[in-house]
Amino acid sequence: MYSIKNICCIGAGYVGGPTMAVFAKNCPDIKFEVVDINEERIVAWNSKDLSKLPVFEPGLSEIIELVRGRNLIFSTNLKNSIRKADMIFISVNTPIKKTGLGAGETSDLRWVESCARQIGQIAENHTIVVEKSTLPVKTAQTIKDILLSSECGIKNKSFSVLSNPEFLAEGTAISDLEAPDRVLIGGDDNHAMKALNDIYLNWIPQEKLIFTNLWSSELSKLTANAFLAQRISSINSVSAICEATGADINEVANAIGKDLRIGSKFLQSGPGFGGSCFKKDILNLVYLSKYYGLNEVADYWRSVVEINSWQQTRVYEVIVKKLFGNLANKKIAILGFAFKKNTNDTRESPSIEICKNLLNEGAFISIHDVKVTEDIIKKNLFKNPSILNENLKLNKSNWEFQSNLYDAIKNSDAVVLLTEWEVYKDIDWDWVSKNVRKPFWLFDTRSLVKAKNIQNLGLNIWQLGNGSMN
Ligand code: UDX
Ligand code: ADP
């Protein structure tokens, strides 16, 4: 039996930070330490001003206020934290590989490997290592191999490796962590699995805990995300059929969602799914399938990602067509840069490609978001400017960030609603009608507004999936 008194989490990102905060809140007798090599991030997690935390998540700052300094600390001292720990969560980034074998499909494991090496060298006595990040199937084997290699000095130390994937969604992370649908623990060491199980029992009923072998656990995480993403690509493909036929995607989604076998969740059509997981996880499934010679399976899952890119392109093309095929000398207000509401995360946000394409057409874009900062938007737009022409790479004067929503909209030719932030539901369209250029278009990709209200003000509206507008 293992007794767990000190827990270390490597990686203070969107997963590590909120997860350890909720753990610390519910397990006051255990000491938690979240460590990261990124000093700036740790400083931000330790900042007195809770609005400066690096991750925005409803309910997070209240928990941080309660547990920080009590039984949760954020630090850059990896060595010290690893040495003390009885259990270590690996919560580092695993982006898709950019070059080399498996580029564009499989995860880049350099950060996971570096963690495993550090743990192997520094840990003392018995340590339970838990994979928290979403990883390609069989990564636990890699971690085990590294931990047990002679380079890590196996004297007086031993390890158990568990897979305990996170199922939290950004924007609802705290409630997902407090009351998850299920918690999955994969492993082959019953004592280690029991130790992790007992930690969860502090706030989660036993019947919600599921035990599997390591590979089932790793694969379940990829598959859960692939199934969710597949629903969005399915409904988005139908949104295009609605526009062509006169059907209304919300009516269709409501009708099919009432079938209990289908269910109503994840049927909201939009500009395409974003976030750090969906695309990456499906691509990992594609790679895994190809690796085992299952090319048809690979093609099947790849098409889910392709529909998603197509949906983003489709939105951009509609905008150009409605604005007479010309965006030069036109101001377009982009409302929402985060990939969904209630997060400051922009990874894989559909807004990125849509904005780049609009810039490329010569538009002036004015961007507003509730939580994403100007600096982050700038990095996203000009980080991989492949689709921007040479001129634009040099000339960054064709966009602006506006912290005031109405300043972004003022004198625009069009507004594009991309993120479903609540404030965008309450826009004063009467004011808008008096302060924009005509003919004006509203492109509503998230079904946020009542089309009739906009049309009554003499404004044009295109609503994704709403075929009754043709
Ligand atoms: C997802 C999974 O939900 C979570 O379980 C996993 O651990 C990590 O990946 P996340 O990416 O944070 O979480 O957000 P999610 O709420 O799943 O949304 C992903 C994307 O799908 C967003 O861009 C969202 O706008 C879009 N979406 C979601 C739709 O377009 N329609 C829907 O009906 C639901
Ligand atoms: P996620 O959404 O999975 O949490 P993030 O990118 O938000 O991903 O967070 C991952 C964090 O892990 C980053 O802050 C990064 O600096 C940190 N990290 C990556 N590799 C290491 C490492 N070897 N040691 C410590 N921290 C690491």
Side-chain angles (χ1 to χ4, degrees):
M1 293 301 269
Y2 304 118
S3 139
I4 311 294
K5 297 209 164 53
N6 290 294
I7 291 183
C8 163
C9 171
I10 308 180
Y14 283 89
V15 173
T19 304
M20 288 302 119
V22 172
F23 270 55
K25 180 189 153 207
N26 290 298
C27 310
D29 298 333
I30 301 177
K31 288 202 173 91
F32 294 84
E33 199 161 332
V34 183
V35 290
D36 203 296
I37 37 174
N38 182 338
E39 205 172 326
E40 210 181 315
R41 252 200 176 168
I42 293 298
V43 168
W45 277 113
N46 282 324
S47 108
K48 278 216 172 88
D49 177 356
L50 292 168
S51 70
K52 297 233 159 63
L53 296 180
V55 169
F56 171 74
E57 202 51 73
L60 175 64
S61 58
E62 289 84 347
I63 301 184
I64 293 292
E65 196 172 20
L66 177 76
V67 295
R68 200 176 53 186
R70 183 187 84 175
N71 62 333
L72 173 67
I73 58 170
F74 293 93
S75 128
T76 48
N77 194 341
L78 265 83
K79 278 191 181 165
N80 191 36
S81 181
I82 291 174
R83 191 173 301 118
K84 282 188 304 193
D86 309 302
M87 183 179 274
I88 300 176
F89 285 87
I90 300 184
S91 234
V92 300
N93 35 327
T94 49
I96 290 290
K97 258 180 104 169
K98 289 210 175 81
T99 52
L101 206 61
E105 281 175 359
T106 192
S107 285
D108 189 339
L109 291 180
R110 74 181 76 181
W111 294 274
V112 172
E113 187 169 337
S114 131
C115 278
R117 284 184 195 280
Q118 274 174 302
I119 296 169
Q121 275 151 13
I122 302 163
E124 290 174 0
N125 307 316
H126 187 81
T127 312
I128 301 173
V129 177
V130 188
E131 295 178 339
K132 202 54 164 156
S133 327
T134 309
L135 296 163
V137 181
K138 291 283 182 184
T139 305
Q141 191 60 52
T142 311
I143 294 175
K144 276 186 187 176
D145 290 347
I146 294 171
L147 292 175
L148 299 178
S149 72
S150 57
E151 199 189 307
C152 289
I154 42 176
K155 252 191 178 173
N156 298 331
K157 52 178 96 175
S158 54
F159 299 97
S160 311
V161 177
L162 300 179
S163 161
N164 173 224
E166 53 78 17
F167 289 107
L168 66 84
E170 288 172 32
T172 51
I174 301 303
S175 49
D176 292 343
L177 287 160
E178 291 275 18
D181 289 344
R182 78 314 203 178
V183 171
L184 189 50
I185 300 179
D188 48 22
D189 172 350
N190 288 338
H191 292 302
M193 290 164 88
K194 170 131 189 5
L196 184 54
N197 176 72
D198 290 352
I199 292 172
Y200 279 111
L201 284 188
N202 281 297
W203 76 103
I204 290 164
Q206 183 68 67
E207 61 270 19
K208 296 233 164 168
L209 284 127
I210 302 175
F211 302 96
T212 66
N213 73 31
L214 276 167
W215 324 125
S216 301
S217 174
E218 288 179 334
L219 185 58
S220 298
K221 175 60 204 279
L222 293 188
T223 313
N225 277 348
F227 270 61
L228 291 170
Q230 181 198 46
R231 276 173 78 93
I232 301 171
S233 276
S234 299
I235 201 74
N236 283 345
S237 75
V238 176
S239 74
I241 303 179
C242 287
E243 287 158 27
T245 56
D248 178 332
I249 194 63
N250 292 314
E251 291 177 355
V252 175
N254 183 46
I256 63 171
K258 286 281 189 290
D259 184 326
L260 290 181
R261 294 165 304 173
I262 297 172
S264 61
K265 290 181 180 163
F266 264 69
L267 283 181
Q268 183 71 50
S269 66
F273 58 75
S276 69
C277 283
F278 282 179
K279 187 174 169 192
K280 183 182 75 172
D281 292 354
I282 298 172
L283 291 174
N284 265 302
L285 268 191
V286 170
Y287 186 74
L288 187 75
S289 310
K290 284 207 294 204
Y291 179 82
Y292 289 107
L294 306 168
N295 293 329
E296 288 76 4
V297 181
D299 291 346
Y300 176 73
W301 285 110
R302 182 171 271 289
S303 69
V304 173
V305 175
E306 281 164 4
I307 289 285
N308 198 51
S309 307
W310 175 76
Q311 184 79 344
Q312 295 172 14
T313 311
R314 206 166 80 70
V315 168
Y316 140 72
E317 285 175 359
V318 167
I319 298 171
V320 178
K321 279 185 197 145
K322 296 285 190 201
L323 298 182
F324 312 119
N326 166 45
L327 301 190
N329 303 318
K330 288 183 180 159
K331 174 182 172 182
I332 300 184
I334 302 291
L335 303 189
F337 203 81
F339 77 98
K340 62 183 233 182
K341 70 174 178 181
N342 289 335
T343 179
N344 59 344
D345 196 354
T346 58
R347 285 177 289 180
E348 300 295 339
S349 175
S351 301
I352 302 169
E353 287 309 299
I354 293 173
C355 284
K356 280 186 180 178
N357 276 316
L358 295 176
L359 282 171
N360 213 27
E361 292 284 338
F364 178 86
I365 59 174
S366 184
I367 305 177
H368 174 270
D369 190 89
V370 179
K371 289 286 169 189
V372 181
T373 60
E374 176 170 8
D375 193 40
I376 295 290
I377 293 175
K378 199 168 164 182
K379 278 190 187 133
N380 273 297
L381 289 182
F382 299 99
K383 186 172 54 183
N384 292 313
S386 52
I387 59 168
L388 295 182
N389 66 40
E390 276 309 310
N391 225 1
L392 278 166
K393 278 183 227 171
L394 301 171
N395 176 10
K396 294 179 186 170
S397 64
N398 28 24
W399 77 286
E400 66 178 7
F401 171 78
Q402 283 292 359
S403 54
N404 182 308
L405 170 60
Y406 291 94
D407 286 341
I409 298 175
K410 202 170 180 183
N411 296 328
S412 64
D413 296 88
V415 164
V416 189
L417 285 170
L418 288 175
T419 310
E420 74 280 31
W421 286 107
E422 294 299 321
V423 286
Y424 300 155
K425 289 186 183 157
D426 300 323
I427 291 174
D428 179 352
W429 293 105
D430 191 38
W431 179 92
V432 174
S433 69
K434 295 179 186 124
N435 289 280
V436 289
R437 295 175 66 190
K438 310 285 167 40
F440 172 88
W441 277 92
L442 168 64
F443 298 95
D444 178 8
T445 69
R446 296 271 191 178
S447 304
L448 291 183
V449 297
K450 279 220 160 62
K452 274 266 151 3
N453 295 350
I454 303 295
Q455 284 161 337
N456 289 344
L457 289 165
L459 305 176
N460 299 305
I461 174 167
W462 175 83
Q463 211 156 23
L464 193 141
N466 188 343
S468 64
M469 285 174 176
N470 297 328

